[in-house]
Amino acid sequence: MSDQKTDEKKKTIFVQQICPPVVGHADGIATYCTALAQLFDSDGRVSVAPMWDAPVRPSRLLNNLYHWRSFYHTLKQADADVVHINGYASFTVLQSFLAAWWLGKKIVYTAHWHPYKMLRRPLLGKMFFNVFVRPFLGKVKAVVTLNEDDTAYFRGLRCPVTRIPHWCRFQVESHQQPLSGGNLAQVEKNKKMILFVGRFNADNKGFDYLYHLPEGVYDIHCVGMGDVEVRSDMTIHTNIPTEKLQELYAKASLVVIPSKYEAFSYVALEALTSGTPVVMSDRVRIADYLNDCRGVSIFRYGDHEGFVSAVASMIGSAVDTEKVLSIFSPDAIREKYARLYLSVCGRS
């Protein structure tokens, strides 16, 4: 029996993903970790498992810390070939590097990096990264980047960089299953409907841009959480299931993403693969992959008039869905990750 387990171990690379603790609702990194594990559900070469159950000790000064002994022994017992660490503005990331390094694990690192000036505390973020994270980059076998900004940054630090985009998680989670009201392709568009998805009162998401749209002209639907002033033309959706969100994407005639900065944007990808055009700021970095794609309009962040004009011109326009699906194909991206993990482990 032990020989059989050894043979299976040689055939399959086990990747242990470490994600920063999620406080409150799920965030983009948590979504990424879950989707990556699902992407390898039926793959015989690589097995990926996020570490969700590591106990956390709250700290007012340091936000959150893992209970070190428990975290270290959990990672040791997992006996992973590769430890894939996510995040950079958290002391749990530092603990992850320390544990993986002491255990002699091969390390892959995805920072989900934002330029420092885009952070709420730019100087603190820069100091944290350079003092606590950067010294470990020499131990990293590969850095996975998401866009041109972080690719240029980590190449400047002489890191071994591989740029891999995200993919549409709806395709991974539900494979476009029919909804209770019918298939997604049969959902009728609301010609006046605009959809916003994100935290309403977060400075980064740009909810305030919606107030610059003329009231009563559009049917504005907002999915997320937060206390904001609700206009007569706004409908708020909170804690809705995935199927309902899919239906809203399919029904909308435009999705708006006026963010201060997004390292990628699941919202843009989910909209475009639902056949819904997108208006987004020039700081939403999925744009690095969408050159010449129909159904995408980009306005300069801070230009409210440009936002309003882009909305008026783009609502109901056509989307080059097939091109978007080919760029962000889950099968193609699975192969990129598989080749990366195999290469890190010295296998072809």
Side-chain angles (χ1 to χ4, degrees):
M1 181 67 70
S2 60
D3 291 340
Q4 182 180 352
K5 289 184 177 179
T6 301
D7 290 341
E8 290 176 356
K9 179 72 175 177
K10 289 179 180 178
K11 292 177 183 177
T12 304
I13 292 173
F14 176 42
V15 180
Q16 181 77 70
Q17 280 198 101
I18 304 181
C19 314
V22 176
V23 180
H25 60 279
D27 60 10
I29 298 180
T31 299
Y32 164 83
C33 292
T34 301
L36 185 57
Q38 291 174 337
L39 201 62
F40 283 95
D41 266 350
S42 58
D43 193 288
R45 301 161 298 171
V46 177
S47 173
V48 179
M51 183 183 288
W52 296 120
D53 54 356
V56 174
R57 175 167 58 87
S59 168
R60 289 186 179 180
L61 179 62
L62 306 176
N63 291 327
N64 287 293
L65 289 171
Y66 291 126
H67 284 281
W68 174 251
R69 181 176 295 180
S70 177
F71 172 70
Y72 180 84
H73 284 292
T74 299
L75 188 59
K76 183 178 181 179
Q77 291 172 0
D79 194 23
D81 299 279
V82 177
V83 174
H84 188 160
I85 299 172
N86 292 272
Y88 80 99
S90 166
F91 277 94
T92 57
V93 173
L94 172 61
Q95 290 178 296
S96 301
F97 272 114
L98 284 169
W101 176 49
W102 283 339
L103 289 170
K105 299 298 183 181
K106 296 175 177 62
I107 301 173
V108 172
Y109 178 47
T110 304
H112 306 269
W113 188 81
H114 286 51
Y116 299 119
K117 64 182 180 181
M118 301 298 175
L119 301 177
R120 283 179 295 176
R121 300 173 181 173
L123 182 58
L124 187 61
K126 186 174 183 179
M127 289 176 59
F128 179 90
F129 183 83
N130 283 286
V131 172
F132 295 112
V133 177
R134 187 170 175 178
F136 285 96
L137 294 182
K139 311 294 183 184
V140 172
K141 293 292 184 181
V143 173
V144 177
T145 58
L146 304 176
N147 57 58
E148 292 177 0
D149 285 347
D150 60 347
T151 299
Y153 181 79
F154 283 100
R155 280 181 177 161
L157 298 180
R158 301 176 183 271
C159 295
V161 172
T162 301
R163 193 177 84 166
I164 307 177
H166 293 326
W167 56 100
C168 186
R169 62 192 174 106
F170 284 164
Q171 292 176 302
V172 175
E173 292 177 354
S174 62
H175 303 284
Q176 302 294 347
Q177 292 286 344
L179 306 175
S180 57
N183 190 284
L184 278 178
Q186 298 172 344
V187 174
E188 185 177 353
K189 289 284 186 185
N190 177 340
K191 295 180 180 180
K192 296 172 58 179
M193 180 176 166
I194 294 173
L195 181 64
F196 172 95
V197 181
R199 298 184 301 278
F200 304 154
N201 53 5
D203 294 339
N204 182 55
K205 298 300 181 180
F207 186 90
D208 60 294
Y209 277 76
L210 298 178
Y211 297 125
H212 291 269
L213 296 172
E215 189 166 0
V217 174
Y218 304 108
D219 183 10
I220 304 172
H221 288 250
C222 307
V223 177
M225 300 178 66
D227 296 325
V228 290
E229 179 184 351
V230 180
R231 295 193 331 191
S232 62
D233 55 356
M234 291 180 177
T235 302
I236 303 298
H237 304 269
T238 302
N239 295 325
I240 62 174
T242 298
E243 291 77 10
K244 178 61 177 178
L245 179 57
Q246 283 182 278
E247 187 174 5
L248 289 173
Y249 275 123
K251 186 179 293 186
S253 288
L254 184 70
V255 169
V256 294
I257 312 171
S259 299
K260 179 180 178 182
Y261 192 85
E262 301 280 354
F264 190 71
S265 176
Y266 279 117
V267 173
L269 185 52
E270 290 159 0
L272 293 170
T273 52
S274 300
T276 303
V278 172
V279 166
M280 59 188 180
S281 82
D282 56 355
R283 296 180 178 181
V284 180
R285 298 317 319 152
I286 191 176
D288 296 346
Y289 300 92
L290 295 174
N291 294 330
D292 303 322
C293 277
R294 287 184 302 158
V296 178
S297 179
I298 299 172
F299 70 95
R300 182 175 57 82
Y301 182 80
D303 181 2
H304 296 102
E305 291 184 4
F307 169 73
V308 172
S309 176
V311 167
S313 63
M314 284 297 293
I315 191 166
S317 60
V319 176
D320 195 348
T321 306
E322 291 304 317
K323 184 174 182 178
V324 174
L325 287 171
S326 68
I327 295 171
F328 303 103
S329 162
D331 292 337
I333 292 170
R334 182 193 301 111
E335 288 305 308
K336 290 181 179 180
Y337 273 106
R339 288 197 298 269
L340 174 66
Y341 293 137
L342 289 166
S343 174
V344 163
C345 293
R347 305 185 198 177
S348 57

mmCIF file of all heavy atoms in Angstrom, residues 4-20:
data_model
loop_
_atom_site.group_PDB
_atom_site.id
_atom_site.type_symbol
_atom_site.label_atom_id
_atom_site.label_comp_id
_atom_site.label_asym_id
_atom_site.label_seq_id
_atom_site.Cartn_x
_atom_site.Cartn_y
_atom_site.Cartn_z
ATOM 1 N N GLN A 4 2.235 1.994 -3.363
ATOM 2 C CA GLN A 4 1.225 2.571 -4.251
ATOM 3 C C GLN A 4 1.088 4.059 -4.005
ATOM 4 O O GLN A 4 1.005 4.854 -4.945
ATOM 5 C CB GLN A 4 -0.121 1.883 -4.024
ATOM 6 C CG GLN A 4 -1.225 2.391 -4.960
ATOM 7 C CD GLN A 4 -2.539 1.683 -4.705
ATOM 8 O OE1 GLN A 4 -2.599 0.728 -3.948
ATOM 9 N NE2 GLN A 4 -3.582 2.158 -5.341
ATOM 10 N N LYS A 5 1.069 4.467 -2.737
ATOM 11 C CA LYS A 5 0.984 5.886 -2.410
ATOM 12 C C LYS A 5 2.200 6.637 -2.922
ATOM 13 O O LYS A 5 2.095 7.762 -3.396
ATOM 14 C CB LYS A 5 0.846 6.073 -0.901
ATOM 15 C CG LYS A 5 -0.513 5.652 -0.355
ATOM 16 C CD LYS A 5 -0.618 5.956 1.123
ATOM 17 C CE LYS A 5 -2.001 5.599 1.662
ATOM 18 N NZ LYS A 5 -2.105 5.878 3.109
ATOM 19 N N THR A 6 3.374 6.013 -2.829
ATOM 20 C CA THR A 6 4.588 6.656 -3.331
ATOM 21 C C THR A 6 4.503 6.871 -4.826
ATOM 22 O O THR A 6 4.868 7.922 -5.354
ATOM 23 C CB THR A 6 5.822 5.799 -2.998
ATOM 24 O OG1 THR A 6 5.898 5.638 -1.577
ATOM 25 C CG2 THR A 6 7.097 6.476 -3.494
ATOM 26 N N ASP A 7 3.990 5.845 -5.552
ATOM 27 C CA ASP A 7 3.842 5.969 -7.007
ATOM 28 C C ASP A 7 2.871 7.089 -7.359
ATOM 29 O O ASP A 7 3.108 7.863 -8.288
ATOM 30 C CB ASP A 7 3.330 4.645 -7.597
ATOM 31 C CG ASP A 7 4.402 3.539 -7.535
ATOM 32 O OD1 ASP A 7 5.583 3.904 -7.383
ATOM 33 O OD2 ASP A 7 4.040 2.362 -7.617
ATOM 34 N N GLU A 8 1.752 7.173 -6.613
ATOM 35 C CA GLU A 8 0.787 8.235 -6.869
ATOM 36 C C GLU A 8 1.396 9.603 -6.605
ATOM 37 O O GLU A 8 1.155 10.573 -7.319
ATOM 38 C CB GLU A 8 -0.448 8.041 -5.992
ATOM 39 C CG GLU A 8 -1.293 6.832 -6.393
ATOM 40 C CD GLU A 8 -2.448 6.601 -5.448
ATOM 41 O OE1 GLU A 8 -2.520 7.349 -4.449
ATOM 42 O OE2 GLU A 8 -3.248 5.696 -5.695
ATOM 43 N N LYS A 9 2.225 9.687 -5.569
ATOM 44 C CA LYS A 9 2.879 10.946 -5.233
ATOM 45 C C LYS A 9 3.796 11.381 -6.360
ATOM 46 O O LYS A 9 3.894 12.563 -6.696
ATOM 47 C CB LYS A 9 3.673 10.767 -3.933
ATOM 48 C CG LYS A 9 4.440 11.988 -3.460
ATOM 49 C CD LYS A 9 3.504 13.033 -2.927
ATOM 50 C CE LYS A 9 4.275 14.198 -2.334
ATOM 51 N NZ LYS A 9 3.403 15.255 -1.868
ATOM 52 N N LYS A 10 4.482 10.439 -6.983
ATOM 53 C CA LYS A 10 5.393 10.761 -8.081
ATOM 54 C C LYS A 10 4.626 11.240 -9.306
ATOM 55 O O LYS A 10 5.128 12.057 -10.065
ATOM 56 C CB LYS A 10 6.221 9.516 -8.436
ATOM 57 C CG LYS A 10 7.263 9.156 -7.379
ATOM 58 C CD LYS A 10 8.021 7.897 -7.776
ATOM 59 C CE LYS A 10 9.060 7.520 -6.718
ATOM 60 N NZ LYS A 10 9.766 6.266 -7.065
ATOM 61 N N LYS A 11 3.409 10.729 -9.480
ATOM 62 C CA LYS A 11 2.636 11.083 -10.661
ATOM 63 C C LYS A 11 1.947 12.433 -10.522
ATOM 64 O O LYS A 11 1.750 13.136 -11.507
ATOM 65 C CB LYS A 11 1.574 9.994 -10.932
ATOM 66 C CG LYS A 11 2.151 8.655 -11.369
ATOM 67 C CD LYS A 11 1.036 7.647 -11.545
ATOM 68 C CE LYS A 11 1.592 6.269 -11.925
ATOM 69 N NZ LYS A 11 0.511 5.266 -12.037
ATOM 70 N N THR A 12 1.556 12.788 -9.303
ATOM 71 C CA THR A 12 0.761 13.992 -9.091
ATOM 72 C C THR A 12 1.510 14.991 -8.229
ATOM 73 O O THR A 12 1.988 14.653 -7.144
ATOM 74 C CB THR A 12 -0.575 13.642 -8.409
ATOM 75 O OG1 THR A 12 -1.258 12.669 -9.191
ATOM 76 C CG2 THR A 12 -1.437 14.872 -8.252
ATOM 77 N N ILE A 13 1.598 16.231 -8.702
ATOM 78 C CA ILE A 13 2.185 17.311 -7.917
ATOM 79 C C ILE A 13 1.090 17.898 -7.032
ATOM 80 O O ILE A 13 0.007 18.239 -7.512
ATOM 81 C CB ILE A 13 2.763 18.400 -8.835
ATOM 82 C CG1 ILE A 13 3.991 17.852 -9.580
ATOM 83 C CG2 ILE A 13 3.130 19.651 -8.052
ATOM 84 C CD1 ILE A 13 4.524 18.798 -10.624
ATOM 85 N N PHE A 14 1.382 18.013 -5.756
ATOM 86 C CA PHE A 14 0.425 18.581 -4.823
ATOM 87 C C PHE A 14 0.830 20.018 -4.505
ATOM 88 O O PHE A 14 1.919 20.283 -4.014
ATOM 89 C CB PHE A 14 0.359 17.753 -3.540
ATOM 90 C CG PHE A 14 -0.540 18.334 -2.482
ATOM 91 C CD1 PHE A 14 -1.774 18.873 -2.825
ATOM 92 C CD2 PHE A 14 -0.166 18.323 -1.155
ATOM 93 C CE1 PHE A 14 -2.606 19.416 -1.853
ATOM 94 C CE2 PHE A 14 -0.991 18.861 -0.178
ATOM 95 C CZ PHE A 14 -2.218 19.401 -0.531
ATOM 96 N N VAL A 15 -0.068 20.948 -4.810
ATOM 97 C CA VAL A 15 0.167 22.371 -4.561
ATOM 98 C C VAL A 15 -0.713 22.818 -3.402
ATOM 99 O O VAL A 15 -1.941 22.686 -3.453
ATOM 100 C CB VAL A 15 -0.158 23.217 -5.816
ATOM 101 C CG1 VAL A 15 0.082 24.697 -5.531
ATOM 102 C CG2 VAL A 15 0.677 22.756 -7.002
ATOM 103 N N GLN A 16 -0.093 23.317 -2.354
ATOM 104 C CA GLN A 16 -0.824 23.874 -1.223
ATOM 105 C C GLN A 16 -0.869 25.391 -1.376
ATOM 106 O O GLN A 16 0.153 26.063 -1.354
ATOM 107 C CB GLN A 16 -0.137 23.526 0.103
ATOM 108 C CG GLN A 16 -0.851 24.037 1.330
ATOM 109 C CD GLN A 16 -2.059 23.195 1.678
ATOM 110 O OE1 GLN A 16 -1.927 22.062 2.099
ATOM 111 N NE2 GLN A 16 -3.249 23.744 1.499
ATOM 112 N N GLN A 17 -2.063 25.924 -1.594
ATOM 113 C CA GLN A 17 -2.216 27.365 -1.705
ATOM 114 C C GLN A 17 -2.433 27.973 -0.332
ATOM 115 O O GLN A 17 -3.239 27.475 0.444
ATOM 116 C CB GLN A 17 -3.435 27.716 -2.559
ATOM 117 C CG GLN A 17 -3.223 27.618 -4.041
ATOM 118 C CD GLN A 17 -4.303 28.396 -4.746
ATOM 119 O OE1 GLN A 17 -4.085 29.509 -5.184
ATOM 120 N NE2 GLN A 17 -5.478 27.813 -4.843
ATOM 121 N N ILE A 18 -1.722 29.058 -0.040
ATOM 122 C CA ILE A 18 -1.953 29.780 1.207
ATOM 123 C C ILE A 18 -2.532 31.136 0.855
ATOM 124 O O ILE A 18 -1.920 31.916 0.122
ATOM 125 C CB ILE A 18 -0.663 29.941 2.019
ATOM 126 C CG1 ILE A 18 -0.017 28.578 2.287
ATOM 127 C CG2 ILE A 18 -0.964 30.644 3.343
ATOM 128 C CD1 ILE A 18 1.250 28.649 3.090
ATOM 129 N N CYS A 19 -3.718 31.412 1.367
ATOM 130 C CA CYS A 19 -4.416 32.656 1.087
ATOM 131 C C CYS A 19 -4.553 33.445 2.381
ATOM 132 O O CYS A 19 -4.790 32.860 3.436
ATOM 133 C CB CYS A 19 -5.805 32.376 0.521
ATOM 134 S SG CYS A 19 -5.813 31.119 -0.773
ATOM 135 N N PRO A 20 -4.398 34.760 2.342
ATOM 136 C CA PRO A 20 -4.602 35.563 3.556
ATOM 137 C C PRO A 20 -5.987 35.319 4.117
ATOM 138 O O PRO A 20 -6.937 35.081 3.366
ATOM 139 C CB PRO A 20 -4.442 37.004 3.068
ATOM 140 C CG PRO A 20 -3.643 36.911 1.812
ATOM 141 C CD PRO A 20 -4.043 35.603 1.190
#
